[in-house]
C-alpha cells in the first residue's frame, strides 16, 4: 500500500489500546501522523507512524472512517455489561430474520425465525422468556415500525421438523433499544440437545412494514403501518430514512433543537414515518440547516409515543439557532433495490452509464436506459437507489463511458420520476414496450452522484416586508428591456410611457452542505454590456403573478443571475463576488440578496386588472444545479391589487410535493 499522509487527533485522551475522540469538535493535540497499517493489526497503535505526538498536521487534515454494518467473526454483539451473567465470553456476530421457504421471495422479509450467528454458526433463541418488547427491538433494527401476531401453531409444527441449534442465553429488552446488541442478556439456558427448550420453541417475529415498504400493493398496503397525522417530515438527507427533522405547527414547518436530542426521540420520529429504530440521533445541523421557526426544544420522549409531538418539550426555552437543528438516520428494510441497478464506465463508483436489470423472455438481463426526457429527478432516484447520495448531474449522452458490452441494449424507456421514488422501477416508464427514437448507444442515460449538495431557500419574510409598487418611465428601463425583464406589451411602448412594477427584495440562503455553483464554467458566461456584469446561469429564478386558479397573468424574467455572497452567518467567510469577473456562487451559511431597487427585481404588472392574486417565486426552476431538497424552492404569497396599491401577505415556502390544504397540524389547521 502507498504511504498516505493522515492525521489522527484526540480531544480527550489516548491509551495504547484505545483512542477516544469527539469527531464533532476537532480540538486538542494531534497524536498520529503518516500512519501505515497492513490491516492485520488489532489496534491503530500497532501500526507504523511517526510516533505519538510527532506531527506537522492541522485539524483541517483530521481523518475519519465509515464502517461497514457487517461484523467481523468473533465480534461481541450482545452486551454483557450490567447483566446478571458474569465473566462470560459471549461472542455473537450477526442477527437475522430467517423466513420460511414460502416467504423467502417476498421483499422485504417481515416474518420468520430470529437467529444469531455465534462462532460461525446460526443458532435459534428459545422463546420461553421472549416477549413483545424483544420482538419490537428486532423489528425496529430491521426497519419496521411495529410488531404483529403470527400463526404460532404453523411455526411450532415447522420447528418440530427442523434440527434445532439453540443459543445458550435468553434476551431481556426494554423495547426502546435501537438494536438487539443494546439489550441485556437474560438467564443462561441449559443446552441438552432436543430437550433444551422443552416448554417453548424457536423465537419467531412478525413485523409490520411502513407503508412505503409494504410487500404488495393489494393486501400489503391495507395492513401496512400508517402514521395518524403527517406532522413530521425529514429533509436534506442523502438516503432513504435520514434527514433533518421538521415539525408542522399552526400551518408552518419548523425545526427541532438538538438540546437533549437522543436515540429515544429519534426513534419516535423514525417509527412515526414508517421506518424502524434510529441508528443515529444527529445534532449540530448535520443534515443542513432549516429556515423559519424552531418549534421544539429540550425534547424528552419515553420511546413509545406515536408521534414526536406527543413527547415533552420545553415551550418556554428560546434562543435555539438553526445551527442546532436535530436530524436522524433510521433503520430501513432491506429491499434489495441496489441489486437491480448499476453504473458502468464511470471514472469513479459515483458516476457512469445507468444499467438496469430487467426480465426479458423469461430471464434477467442487464441493459441501458433511453435518455429521452432523462433529467435530474430521474438521476436523483438512481443515486438514492444505489446509496450514492444526491444527483450532481443527469447525462443524456454517455459515449465517453463504455459500459459492459453485454448491457448495450435499451431495455427501459420513457422514464419519468417525481424524485421521491425509492427505485427507478417505481417511476413511470414504458414497461416492456420500448420506444427510444434516438436509440441507445451514445444516447444512453447516465448520472453522477454526490454525498453533499447545496440547498437554496428563499427568505419569505423579507419578500413580504419589501413588496411595493413603482411606476417607472420606459426611458429608465433600457437595460431591463434589453434583458426581456418587461412584459411583451412594452415592446411597442414609447419612451415617455410608464410601466407599473411590483418590486421586492429576494434573500436566498444556502442551507445545504455544499456551495451552490453555476453549472457553466467562466469561459461560457455571457457578458451584458448594459448592466456591465456576467450572467452565469441561463435561468435561476422565475417571478410570476398567478390568478387564484393558477393561471399566469404576469411574469418577471430572471434570464441570468449574478450569484455572490452578500452576507454570511457569523464565523463564515465570503467566498464569491461578481465584481471583476470573480467566481460566482453562494457559500454554505451565506445568502445572496437582490435588493428591490436593482434592475429586473420585479414583476411588470402594467396590464394586470385589480383583484386577488398569488405571487410566486421559484428558485433553480430547471434543477440546473444539484440540491439536496428541491421541494423548498417555491415561495407563494397572497396578493390583493386595487389598481393603485398592492397588499402582499401570508408569504411562505410551499412544499412542491405536498397538498397543503390537506395537512392537519397540532395547535390548529392551515
Amino acid at each position: 500500500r502507498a504511504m498516505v499522509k493522515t492525521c489522527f487527533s484526540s480531544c480527550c485522551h489516548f491509551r495504547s489500546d484505545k483512542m477516544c475522540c469527539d469527531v464533532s469538535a476537532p480540538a486538542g493535540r494531534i497524536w498520529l501522523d503518516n500512519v501505515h497499517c497492513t490491516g492485520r493489526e488489532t489496534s491503530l497503535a500497532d501500526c507504523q507512524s511517526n510516533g505519538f505526538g510527532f506531527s506537522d498536521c492541522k485539524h483541517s487534515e483530521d481523518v475519519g472512517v465509515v464502517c461497514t454494518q457487517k461484523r467481523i467473526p468473533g465480534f461481541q454483539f450482545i452486551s454483557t455489561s450490567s447483566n446478571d451473567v458474569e465473566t462470560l465470553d459471549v461472542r455473537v456476530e450477526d442477527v437475522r430474520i430467517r423466513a420460511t421457504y414460502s416467504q423467502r421471495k417476498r421483499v422485504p422479509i417481515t416474518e420468520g425465525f430470529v437467529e444469531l450467528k455465534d462462532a460461525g454458526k446460526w443458532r435459534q433463541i428459545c422463546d420461553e422468556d421472549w416477549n413483545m418488547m424483544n420482538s419490537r427491538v428486532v423489528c425496529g433494527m430491521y426497519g419496521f415500525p411495529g410488531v404483529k401476531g403470527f400463526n404460532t401453531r404453523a411455526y411450532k409444527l415447522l420447528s418440530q421438523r427442523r434440527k434445532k441449534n439453540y443459543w445458550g442465553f435468553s434476551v431481556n429488552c426494554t423495547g426502546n433499544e435501537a438494536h438487539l446488541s443494546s439489550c441485556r442478556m437474560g438467564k443462561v439456558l441449559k443446552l441438552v440437545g432436543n430437550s433444551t427448550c422443552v416448554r417453548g420453541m424457536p423465537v419467531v417475529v412478525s413485523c409490520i412494514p411502513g407503508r412505503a415498504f409494504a410487500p404488495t400493493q393489494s393486501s400489503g398496503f391495507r395492513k401496512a403501518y400508517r402514521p395518524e397525522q403527517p406532522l413530521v417530515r425529514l429533509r436534506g438527507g442523502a438516503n432513504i430514512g435520514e434527514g433533518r427533522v421538521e415539525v408542522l405547527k399552526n400551518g408552518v414547518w419548523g425545526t427541532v433543537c438538538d438540546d437533549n436530542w437522543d436515540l429515544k426521540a429519534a426513534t419516535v420520529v423514525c417509527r412515526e414515518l414508517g421506518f424502524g429504530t434510529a441508528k443515529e440521533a444527529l445534532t449540530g445541523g448535520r443534515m443542513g440547516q432549516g429556515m423559519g421557526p424552531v418549534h421544539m426544544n429540550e425534547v424528552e420522549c419515553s420511546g413509545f409515543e406515536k408521534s414526536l409531538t406527543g413527547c415533552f418539550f420545553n415551550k418556554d426555552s428560546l434562543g435555539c439557532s438553526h445551527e442546532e437543528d436535530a436530524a436522524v438516520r433510521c433503520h430501513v428494510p432491506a429491499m434489495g433495490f441496489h441489486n437491480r441497478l448499476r453504473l458502468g464506465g464511470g471514472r469513479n463508483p459515483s458516476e457512469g452509464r445507468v444499467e438496469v436489470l430487467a426480465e426479458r423472455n423469461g430471464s434477467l438481463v442487464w441493459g441501458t436506459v433511453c435518455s429521452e426526457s432523462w433529467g435530474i429527478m430521474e438521476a436523483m432516484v438512481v443515486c438514492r437507489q444505489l446509496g450514492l447520495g444526491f444527483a450532481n448531474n443527469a447525462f443524456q449522452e454517455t459515449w465517453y463511458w463504455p459500459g459492459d458490452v453485454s448491457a448495450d441494449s435499451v431495455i427501459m424507456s420513457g422514464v419519468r420520476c417525481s424524485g421521491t421514488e425509492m427505485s427507478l422501477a417505481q417511476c413511470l416508464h414504458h414497461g416492456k414496450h420500448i420506444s427510444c427514437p434516438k436509440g441507445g448507444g451514445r444516447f444512453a442515460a447516465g448520472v453522477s452522484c454526490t454525498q453533499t449538495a447545496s440547498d437554496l431557500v428563499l427568505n419569505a419574510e423579507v419578500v413580504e416586508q419589501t413588496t411595493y409598487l413603482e411606476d417607472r418611465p420606459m426611458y429608465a428601463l433600457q437595460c431591463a428591456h434589453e434583458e426581456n425583464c418587461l412584459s411583451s406589451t412594452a415592446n411597442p411602448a414609447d419612451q415617455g410611457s410608464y410601466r407599473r412594477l411590483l418590486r421586492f427584495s429576494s434573500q436566498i440562503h444556502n442551507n445545504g452542505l455544499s456551495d451552490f455553483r453555476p453549472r457553466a464554467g467562466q469561459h461560457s458566461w455571457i457578458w451584458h454590456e448594459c448592466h456591465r456584469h456576467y450572467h452565469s446561469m441561463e435561468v435561476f429564478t422565475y417571478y410570476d403573478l398567478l390568478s387564484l386558479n393558477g393561471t399566469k397573468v404576469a411574469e418577471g424574467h430572471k434570464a441570468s443571475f449574478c450569484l455572490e455572497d452578500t452576507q454570511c452567518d457569523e464565523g463564515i467567510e465570503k467566498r464569491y463576488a461578481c465584481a471583476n469577473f470573480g467566481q460566482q456562487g453562494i457559500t454554505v451559511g451565506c445568502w445572496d440578496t437582490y435588493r428591490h431597487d436593482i434592475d429586473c427585481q420585479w414583476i411588470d404588472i402594467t396590464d394586470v386588472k385589480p383583484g386577488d392574486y398569488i405571487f410566486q417565486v421559484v428558485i433553480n426552476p430547471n434543477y440546473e444545479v444539484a440540491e439536496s431538497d428541491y421541494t423548498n424552492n417555491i415561495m407563494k404569497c397572497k396578493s390583493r391589487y386595487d389598481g393603485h396599491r398592492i397588499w402582499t401577505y401570508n408569504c411562505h415556502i410551499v412544499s412542491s410535493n405536498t397538498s397543503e390544504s390537506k395537512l392537519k397540524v397540532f395547535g390548529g389547521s392551515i
Side-chain angles (χ1 to χ4, degrees):
R1 297 180 182 179
M3 181 75 74
V4 179
K5 183 175 180 62
T6 55
C7 307
F8 293 83
S9 65
S10 172
C11 44
C12 38
H13 61 271
F14 186 90
R15 300 195 306 272
S16 62
D17 62 333
K18 182 179 180 182
M19 182 159 58
C20 170
C21 287
D22 177 4
V23 295
S24 65
R29 295 187 62 181
I30 294 175
W31 286 108
L32 292 174
D33 187 9
N34 288 325
V35 178
H36 184 69
C37 303
T38 65
R40 293 185 292 272
E41 294 84 357
T42 57
S43 169
L44 197 63
D46 297 334
C47 298
Q48 293 181 13
S49 69
N50 289 356
F52 298 126
F54 294 97
S55 168
D56 60 355
C57 278
K58 304 182 296 293
H59 281 298
S60 60
E61 300 174 84
D62 288 348
V63 301
V65 298
V66 176
C67 302
T68 177
Q69 293 293 312
K70 187 176 181 180
R71 310 291 183 169
I72 61 174
F75 172 75
Q76 188 167 337
F77 198 79
I78 300 292
S79 173
T80 59
S81 60
S82 303
N83 287 324
D84 298 329
V85 184
E86 298 179 358
T87 63
L88 289 174
D89 184 22
V90 180
R91 297 192 177 277
V92 176
E93 298 150 29
D94 205 353
V95 179
R96 72 179 182 186
I97 299 176
R98 186 183 183 189
T100 60
Y101 288 111
S102 61
Q103 294 181 325
R104 284 183 187 173
K105 290 186 178 181
R106 296 183 66 183
V107 177
I109 293 174
T110 60
E111 183 176 299
F113 293 101
V114 178
E115 297 186 341
L116 301 97
K117 197 172 188 180
D118 177 19
K121 295 182 179 179
W122 287 103
R123 306 179 190 276
Q124 300 85 38
I125 305 173
C126 179
D127 72 350
E128 288 182 12
D129 295 313
W130 191 265
N131 56 48
M132 289 296 285
M133 291 298 101
N134 296 350
S135 296
R136 172 182 163 91
V137 171
V138 172
C139 288
M141 64 181 275
Y142 274 96
F144 304 116
V147 182
K148 63 183 177 68
F150 57 91
N151 188 339
T152 306
R153 184 172 178 272
Y155 277 99
K156 193 159 190 173
L157 290 172
L158 185 61
S159 68
Q160 288 173 354
R161 297 197 297 267
R162 293 177 57 189
K163 182 180 179 181
K164 290 177 281 295
N165 184 14
Y166 283 108
W167 189 53
F169 309 92
S170 60
V171 180
N172 185 13
C173 304
T174 66
N176 268 330
E177 293 85 357
H179 203 277
L180 200 65
S181 61
S182 301
C183 296
R184 296 178 62 194
M185 288 192 338
K187 66 180 183 182
V188 180
L189 198 66
K190 292 182 179 179
L191 299 178
V192 284
N194 290 333
S195 302
T196 298
C197 190
V198 291
R199 291 181 295 175
M201 60 180 246
V203 165
V204 175
V205 296
S206 183
C207 308
I208 304 174
R211 183 173 183 176
F213 304 99
T216 63
Q217 293 187 4
S218 53
S219 61
F221 270 95
R222 186 177 69 250
K223 296 177 182 178
Y225 174 87
R226 287 183 178 88
E228 290 186 354
Q229 294 177 317
L231 301 178
V232 178
R233 69 184 185 185
L234 301 182
R235 286 291 183 268
N239 299 300
I240 302 166
E242 67 178 36
R244 178 179 62 253
V245 180
E246 296 187 353
V247 180
L248 186 66
K249 182 179 181 182
N250 296 330
V252 179
W253 286 101
T255 60
V256 177
C257 188
D258 64 9
D259 292 348
N260 299 341
W261 188 249
D262 60 11
L263 275 175
K264 283 186 181 180
T267 291
V268 170
V269 170
C270 291
R271 290 188 188 273
E272 179 180 4
L273 294 175
F275 304 114
T277 48
K279 289 190 284 189
E280 289 182 88
L282 302 170
T283 58
R286 288 271 300 280
M287 293 288 182
Q289 297 181 23
M291 288 280 286
V294 178
H295 282 327
M296 302 178 76
N297 192 9
E298 297 180 8
V299 178
E300 293 183 18
C301 303
S302 69
F304 293 97
E305 293 85 355
K306 291 185 177 180
S307 170
L308 186 69
T309 58
C311 298
F312 169 81
F313 63 98
N314 192 340
K315 298 179 181 179
D316 301 319
S317 181
L318 304 174
C320 198
S321 71
H322 286 296
E323 293 177 354
E324 302 171 84
D325 284 344
V328 298
R329 282 197 178 101
C330 307
H331 285 113
V332 297
M335 302 296 290
F337 290 141
H338 62 284
N339 297 323
R340 305 186 72 88
L341 193 69
R342 69 187 185 192
L343 301 182
R347 295 163 296 179
N348 58 65
S350 295
E351 68 176 22
R353 183 178 76 174
V354 178
E355 297 175 359
V356 296
L357 187 66
E359 186 177 338
R360 290 292 182 271
N361 301 322
S363 60
L364 291 173
V365 295
W366 287 98
T368 59
V369 179
C370 181
S371 64
E372 197 86 13
S373 76
W374 185 260
I376 200 71
M377 285 304 173
E378 290 72 35
M380 286 282 278
V381 174
V382 168
C383 293
R384 184 186 303 114
Q385 182 174 348
L386 291 172
L388 297 175
F390 308 105
N392 194 40
N393 214 332
F395 300 98
Q396 294 191 344
E397 288 189 41
T398 52
W399 55 268
Y400 39 79
W401 283 336
D404 192 322
V405 177
S406 64
D408 282 347
S409 300
V410 176
I411 61 173
M412 195 174 196
S413 65
V415 182
R416 291 289 180 91
C417 304
S418 68
T420 60
E421 296 88 352
M422 292 186 291
S423 73
L424 205 61
Q426 293 178 350
C427 299
L428 294 173
H429 58 91
H430 290 153
K432 293 184 178 180
H433 173 70
I434 304 300
S435 175
C436 191
K438 291 184 179 180
R442 63 176 293 175
F443 296 105
V447 300
S448 65
C449 307
T450 176
Q451 285 297 327
T452 59
S454 60
D455 182 21
L456 298 189
V457 185
L458 181 69
N459 190 324
E461 188 177 354
V462 169
V463 174
E464 187 168 328
Q465 292 172 350
T466 57
T467 306
Y468 66 98
L469 292 181
E470 180 193 14
D471 290 336
R472 194 168 180 84
M474 275 296 297
Y475 65 77
L477 294 169
Q478 180 182 352
C479 287
H481 197 192
E482 285 185 18
E483 285 200 36
N484 298 317
C485 295
L486 303 174
S487 66
S488 58
T489 58
N491 295 333
D494 62 73
Q495 293 298 300
S497 63
Y498 283 78
R499 307 300 297 181
R500 177 156 291 180
L501 308 174
L502 169 59
R503 283 187 172 273
F504 59 96
S505 296
S506 63
Q507 187 183 98
I508 299 170
H509 294 245
N510 182 2
N511 291 341
L513 298 175
S514 291
D515 294 353
F516 185 94
R517 297 296 310 280
R519 177 72 62 198
Q522 279 182 289
H523 65 281
S524 62
W525 293 355
I526 300 172
W527 173 257
H528 193 270
E529 185 64 33
C530 198
H531 279 138
R532 307 291 298 176
H533 63 219
Y534 281 95
H535 292 170
S536 60
M537 290 184 67
E538 186 178 346
V539 177
F540 180 68
T541 47
Y542 286 153
Y543 306 145
D544 298 311
L545 197 66
L546 312 173
S547 66
L548 296 182
N549 65 8
T551 304
K552 189 184 297 184
V553 297
E555 64 180 22
H557 186 74
K558 277 293 176 188
S560 305
F561 227 80
C562 165
L563 297 165
E564 63 182 0
D565 296 326
T566 307
Q567 286 179 275
C568 299
D569 290 329
E570 186 178 351
I572 297 177
E573 186 177 345
K574 297 179 183 179
R575 298 180 59 190
Y576 304 107
C578 295
N580 302 318
F581 197 32
Q583 291 288 337
Q584 292 191 21
I586 308 176
T587 304
V588 174
C590 299
W591 55 93
D592 185 5
T593 301
Y594 254 60
R595 286 171 47 89
H596 55 83
D597 53 0
I598 294 176
D599 259 7
C600 297
Q601 191 59 33
W602 62 57
I603 298 177
D604 183 353
I605 64 167
T606 306
D607 307 309
V608 174
K609 297 177 181 179
D612 290 321
Y613 297 96
I614 298 170
F615 172 30
Q616 176 176 279
V617 177
V618 185
I619 306 170
N620 195 17
N622 297 335
Y623 315 121
E624 188 176 335
V625 176
E627 291 191 57
S628 60
D629 186 2
Y630 291 107
T631 66
N632 57 10
N633 285 20
I634 301 175
M635 185 221 68
K636 289 187 177 182
C637 307
K638 293 182 178 179
S639 296
R640 174 164 291 181
Y641 176 50
D642 68 358
H644 306 283
R645 297 167 296 174
I646 194 163
W647 292 267
T648 303
Y649 56 99
N650 193 23
C651 294
H652 61 288
I653 302 299
V654 179
S655 179
S656 61
N657 61 359
T658 302
S659 176
E660 286 188 308
S661 61
K662 296 180 180 179
L663 290 176
K664 299 178 181 179
V665 299
F666 67 98
S669 60
I670 291 177

